[in-house]
Amino acid sequence: MSERLFKILTAPVITEKSTLVAGHGNQVVFKVILDADKGEVKKAVESLFKVKVVNVRTIRVKGKRKTNKYGDVCRSDWKKAYVRLESGHEIDFASI
């Protein structure tokens, strides 16, 4: 397995929206590196978790602007991937 596959998936995204999507559409949401494409995300999920991926949708999330006593600070942009799994397959993050 390529070393890059281990670096593509940064973390799972656990939010209210991602849990709703997981319950209704058999999807999992991951935070991925900015230069990853859909094919790489699919290969990484299939090889790391031994599941079958139907499709992948990616979104680039803009970093928020925050103000502190030194002026404006901008958080980094990041990329989010919605991964739809085949029926019967699931990823259990509690056991990992």
Side-chain angles (χ1 to χ4, degrees), residues 12 18 21-22 26-30 81-85 90-91 93:
S18 67
V21 168
N26 199 22
Q27 292 183 6
V28 184
V29 184
F30 289 103
Y82 287 88
V83 179
R84 182 179 301 274
L85 303 176
E90 67 176 32
I91 297 174
F93 292 112

Side-chain angles (χ1 to χ4, degrees), residues 8-91:
I8 289 175
L9 301 177
T10 308
V13 177
I14 309 296
T15 60
E16 190 173 345
K17 183 178 178 181
S18 67
T19 53
L20 282 174
V21 168
H24 293 295
N26 199 22
Q27 292 183 6
V28 184
V29 184
F30 289 103
K31 185 175 182 180
V32 297
I33 58 175
L34 279 173
D35 60 343
D37 61 0
K38 293 178 183 185
E40 289 177 329
V41 173
K42 182 177 178 178
K43 286 179 190 175
V45 172
E46 286 180 342
S47 63
L48 292 176
F49 298 107
K50 307 292 188 254
V51 293
K52 182 69 177 157
V53 175
V54 176
N55 68 347
V56 177
R57 292 181 297 147
T58 58
I59 299 169
R60 191 179 184 126
V61 181
K62 292 280 192 173
K64 292 183 177 179
R65 272 189 100 85
K66 297 288 185 175
T67 305
N68 61 12
K69 66 180 181 178
Y70 302 111
D72 287 343
V73 177
C74 190
R75 292 185 182 169
S76 300
D77 295 347
W78 57 287
K79 197 172 205 178
K80 181 168 40 171
Y82 287 88
V83 179
R84 182 179 301 274
L85 303 176
E86 215 173 67
S87 61
H89 292 267
E90 67 176 32
I91 297 174

